[in-house]
Amino acid sequence: MLDPQGPLPPEIYWRRRALAAGVLVVVLAVIVGLVFWVTGGDESNKNTSNGSDLSSSSSYVLPSAYSDSSASASASPGGSGGTAGGGGGDVALGQVDASGAPVAPGAVPAGQTPAPVPASGLCPDQNISVVLYTDKPAYKEGEQPIFTIAVTNAGLSECTRDVGKAMQSVTVLNLAGDRRIWASGDCAPVAGVNNQLLKPGQQVQDTIQWSGTTSTPGCQTPREPVVPGAYQAIAKIGEKPSAPITFNIDRANAQ
């Protein structure tokens, strides 16, 4: 059928063709933009997800002496005990705070504010850090754990501290911390003065060995081997305590 209006003038015909082509270009541009936005959003989400995975997987690992090895213990903690012993000496090491994390030499461990050194030159408790270590996180029945006491000048000025055997103590408790099992001074108290001039950040160490048996003050009760289980221990230099640490005593035939 013929167009009742007849053929369009050339200028109107080409104008309509140009308008239709422009509309088609706009529609294609919108479609391409939508596709780019969708694919770009997915890639952004993937990058964000990967970043979250990386950040959540990073962690700081504490020294083994401070990891809670009691989590794997199934036996109930019993008594424990031993005799004081030890050797040791002065070892210049990096400073650590109460959790065992390293601290720059001369810096103050977290949670401590240094006090002025008195005219006597003696280190106040506030200016020293006491950290306790075991030589292993777990022992077999009959083994004798060796405890290391590390004392650090956490203040800003040098001072003198008696770190001798008479000032040292290690106490072993059940895992809950509500029952005393053994203390280093119960059956073999040791006298001795060891005054050390400590510069800021300087550390000295000494050791105390435990026979793995129970004890009471004054050694008034029979000594009994401890039963397998999980235990905690705390050290002191004078009246300055360390943070508690945990360790296991496993059955001798355990694999």
Side-chain angles (χ1 to χ4, degrees):
M1 181 180 294
L2 297 177
D3 186 343
Q5 296 181 352
L8 293 174
E11 61 273 13
I12 296 177
Y13 172 78
W14 289 111
R15 190 179 301 167
R16 289 185 178 180
R17 289 288 301 271
L19 180 61
V23 171
L24 180 60
V25 169
V26 170
V27 171
L28 289 175
V30 171
I31 293 173
V32 170
L34 288 174
V35 171
F36 178 79
W37 179 78
V38 170
T39 57
D42 290 343
E43 185 65 27
S44 175
N45 289 337
K46 290 178 182 178
N47 292 337
T48 302
S49 175
N50 290 338
S52 299
D53 291 343
L54 289 173
S55 62
S56 64
S57 65
S58 57
S59 61
Y60 177 75
V61 180
L62 294 176
S64 61
Y66 289 87
S67 61
D68 190 359
S69 57
S70 63
S72 62
S74 59
S76 301
S80 75
T83 58
D90 304 335
V91 182
L93 298 176
Q95 186 180 359
V96 293
D97 63 18
S99 69
V103 179
V108 180
Q112 292 190 25
T113 301
V117 176
S120 64
L122 300 178
C123 302
D125 282 354
Q126 192 172 348
N127 286 23
I128 67 168
S129 168
V130 180
V131 178
L132 182 65
Y133 298 94
T134 54
D135 57 325
K136 296 192 298 185
Y139 303 88
K140 299 291 186 183
E141 287 179 288
E143 287 189 302
Q144 298 188 1
I146 297 176
F147 297 105
T148 297
I149 305 175
V151 182
T152 305
N153 179 357
L156 303 178
S157 304
E158 68 177 18
C159 55
T160 300
R161 185 75 183 204
D162 181 5
V163 294
K165 289 296 185 185
M167 293 291 104
Q168 302 173 16
S169 68
V170 175
T171 302
V172 174
L173 308 164
N174 64 343
L175 187 61
D178 56 8
R179 185 156 62 89
R180 183 182 186 274
I181 306 301
W182 168 83
S184 58
D186 284 348
C187 297
V190 179
V193 175
N194 183 12
N195 289 320
Q196 292 289 323
L197 179 62
L198 302 175
K199 298 182 182 299
Q202 184 179 354
Q203 182 184 94
V204 294
Q205 295 184 354
D206 206 350
T207 59
I208 292 178
Q209 188 169 1
W210 173 38
S211 66
T213 57
T214 61
S215 70
T216 55
C219 210
Q220 298 296 316
T221 57
R223 311 285 298 279
E224 300 291 342
V226 297
V227 300
Y231 297 87
Q232 68 166 274
I234 298 174
K236 281 187 178 181
I237 293 292
E239 294 303 317
K240 177 72 174 188
S242 71
I245 62 171
T246 60
F247 61 96
N248 278 7
I249 295 180
D250 300 328
R251 296 191 184 279
N253 58 357
Q255 299 298 321

